[in-house]
Structure formats: C-alpha cells, structure tokens
Amino acid sequence: MKSILPRLVILALIAMVWLPLPSIAGSEAYCSKPVRVALFEYGVLYRSTTADGIDARLLGTLEKRTGCTFVRVLMPRARIWAELQAGTLDMATAAIPTPDRKAYGFLLPYMKARNLVLVRRQSAPTALDQKAFEGSALRLGVVRGFHHEAAYDAMVARLTKQGRVVFASDVADLMRLIDRGVVDAVLSQPIVFRQYLSEAKINHDITLYDWAPQDQFSLGAMILARKSFTLQQAKHWDALLVALQHDGTVLKFAREFLPSDQAHDLVYTGPRTLD
C-alpha cells in the first residue's frame, strides 16, 4: 500500500500539469488583470438608460472570446483620455485615432462614420454654406474631447478663437444645447442625432449640412492603454477584432440598431497599424 501511494501522487501531479486551461492561457494572451473599460453616451453605440448598443454587444463578445473580465464604467470623453494616459483606465470604445492618442494607446479601428452640421432653422432660415456660417455670428456646439473630420476640426479651431464654440460634456448635453438655443448648430453623426430626432428630444426644425470633403470620415477604434497592455497583447486584440469584422459579427450588431445600408457603411475593413 505504501509503495502504491507515491505512484498515485506522481500520476495525479502529472495529470494536473497536462489538464487543459483554456480560460487562463487564453486570457493571459490578452490581459493580465481585470480590464477597466470606459463607455460613453453615443447614440446607437451606447445608451446608459438601456446599458445597450453596438459597443456594449461588441464588448460582451470580446469578453467571452478572450476570457478577460471587463469592469465597465461610464464617463465623459475628456476624462477617458486623461485616465488612459494616467493608466487608471485600460480600454475605451469609439476612439478617433490621433497622434496624441497613439502616444498613450494602441488604436484598433472597427467602425467609420461622417459628421454633419445640424443647424436650427430658427437661427438660419435660409440655406448656408460653410463660408457663410463662419462669417456669421452663429454659435457652434461640440463635445469636449471629440475629434471630427480634419475640415471640421480646422473650423472648430477658427471659431474657438472667435469665442463662438460652446463645449458640451457629452452627446446628451450637446443635444440639449441646440434644443434650448444655447448654440445655433452642432457637429454630430447620423448614428447619434437620428435617434434624438426620432425620439423628439430636439423640438426644433433642423437643417443638415455636409461641408467636409467626401474622402474625409471619422474612424472609431478600440483604444488600449499602453500602460496596461503589451504590444503582443494588442496584436492579439487586433487579430480578434479583425476576425469579428470578417465573420460578420460587427455587421450583425450594427444591423440590430441601424438600417442595412447604414450598418454596412459603419463597418471598417481598411488598412490598420498598431504603431
């Protein structure tokens, strides 16, 4: 009996070594701790009232595929960038790639969209072009911390110097600004403002203008803090995101919130680079 026991112990240890550990091994390729990920109010991407949206469903899938644990938080955009830089936040959704963000985060694009200019008809009853708008006294509202198409960002910079830009804390605040007449126009994307218009959250007639060149659009990317992830981990996340784009998962989520043509236009499948 004594001679059998050591053998049984050895066999048990060997069995433990060779047991498959997919969740542990898999998660280590992506994360070394629970991932603190930020969401923000942005139309069909995420609504805090329902805790649902394209981004919410995408995060749910990423969590299952990676074996990582997500700690979801809701916060304004400006705070998201500050916390990513500080390393107190690990990940965020729908980040527009910029040189400063690339300095502190890995950017993995998955969607694209274009901003339009929404103008209150009460403020400008006749048709406007960009030159006429900039030459007027009309005020523009944008969300603090947002980047837009290059042409619009240049316009925002010029109007800011003139004191004609009002900064909102988030999209809901932006829509309140135009609804209450605090601003005469706002920059926003159809995936956001159409929901507010359809829900009658904006009670005034709105005219839509598209002043940016057609080859300009905004990319939306998952951003992974460099202080939280290694380059190798970021490559695993990027490969997984590409797979979800190619197998139709991202399109499936988009179709659940958007008409088919808008859903197809939302999915990004162009070039990508982590550095």
Side-chain angles (χ1 to χ4, degrees):
M1 185 69 176
K2 289 182 180 179
S3 63
I4 295 176
L5 282 175
R7 292 181 183 177
L8 291 176
V9 171
I10 293 171
L11 289 172
L13 289 172
I14 292 173
M16 289 176 66
V17 169
W18 287 100
L19 277 174
L21 297 172
S23 61
I24 296 175
S27 64
E28 285 179 350
Y30 296 93
C31 57
S32 57
K33 60 182 177 62
V35 178
R36 189 165 181 258
V37 54
L39 290 153
F40 72 108
E41 289 277 355
Y42 207 67
V44 297
L45 295 188
Y46 185 74
R47 295 296 293 273
S48 61
T49 53
T50 59
D52 198 12
I54 296 171
D55 281 353
R57 298 191 183 188
L58 182 60
L59 285 175
T61 300
L62 291 172
E63 190 173 26
K64 290 177 182 177
R65 299 280 182 96
T66 61
C68 298
T69 298
F70 285 174
V71 179
R72 294 165 175 78
V73 293
L74 181 69
M75 61 176 65
R77 273 320 229 184
R79 183 181 165 193
I80 287 174
W81 311 133
E83 291 211 15
L84 283 168
Q85 291 181 69
T88 54
L89 183 67
D90 304 310
M91 183 188 296
T93 61
I96 294 178
T98 62
D100 58 320
R101 290 172 190 168
K102 288 180 180 179
Y104 57 79
F106 299 107
L107 289 144
L108 321 177
Y110 64 98
M111 58 162 281
K112 58 180 171 48
R114 281 174 57 83
N115 283 279
L116 298 177
V117 185
L118 284 67
V119 181
R120 285 166 49 106
R121 287 198 183 124
Q122 187 175 341
S123 299
T126 57
L128 279 176
D129 58 19
Q130 184 175 344
K131 183 178 180 180
F133 180 80
E134 291 198 43
S136 71
L138 299 178
R139 294 154 299 177
L140 178 69
V142 297
V143 176
R144 188 180 301 278
F146 272 25
H147 282 272
H148 314 85
E149 289 76 7
Y152 288 141
D153 280 342
M155 180 179 73
V156 170
R158 290 190 294 269
L159 295 180
T160 299
K161 290 180 179 179
Q162 299 175 28
R164 290 171 51 200
V165 175
V166 178
F167 292 97
S169 59
D170 55 30
V171 171
D173 186 32
L174 182 70
M175 295 306 165
R176 283 192 291 268
L177 289 179
I178 191 170
D179 185 46
R180 296 171 182 173
V182 177
V183 298
D184 305 289
V186 297
L187 278 170
S188 188
Q189 297 173 348
I191 58 175
V192 176
F193 68 73
R194 291 199 185 282
Q195 193 161 4
Y196 284 88
L197 292 175
S198 65
E199 293 174 357
K201 294 290 181 66
I202 300 176
N203 299 315
H204 300 273
D205 286 339
I206 299 293
T207 304
L208 302 177
Y209 294 102
D210 185 357
W211 294 333
Q214 290 301 306
D215 62 347
Q216 291 186 15
F217 54 85
S218 297
L219 279 181
M222 302 290 296
I223 181 168
L224 281 59
R226 291 179 183 266
K227 290 186 177 181
S228 302
F229 299 93
T230 65
L231 175 60
Q232 191 59 40
Q233 286 175 328
K235 288 179 178 178
H236 283 294
W237 283 102
D238 192 51
L240 176 55
L241 202 52
V242 169
L244 294 178
Q245 290 165 320
H246 288 170
D247 71 11
T249 299
V250 178
L251 178 60
K252 172 180 176 289
F253 294 150
R255 279 176 166 169
E256 289 168 356
F257 294 91
L258 293 168
S260 183
D261 57 338
Q262 290 183 27
H264 277 277
D265 289 342
L266 186 78
V267 181
Y268 176 76
T269 56
R272 56 204 305 118
T273 177
L274 292 181
D275 286 304

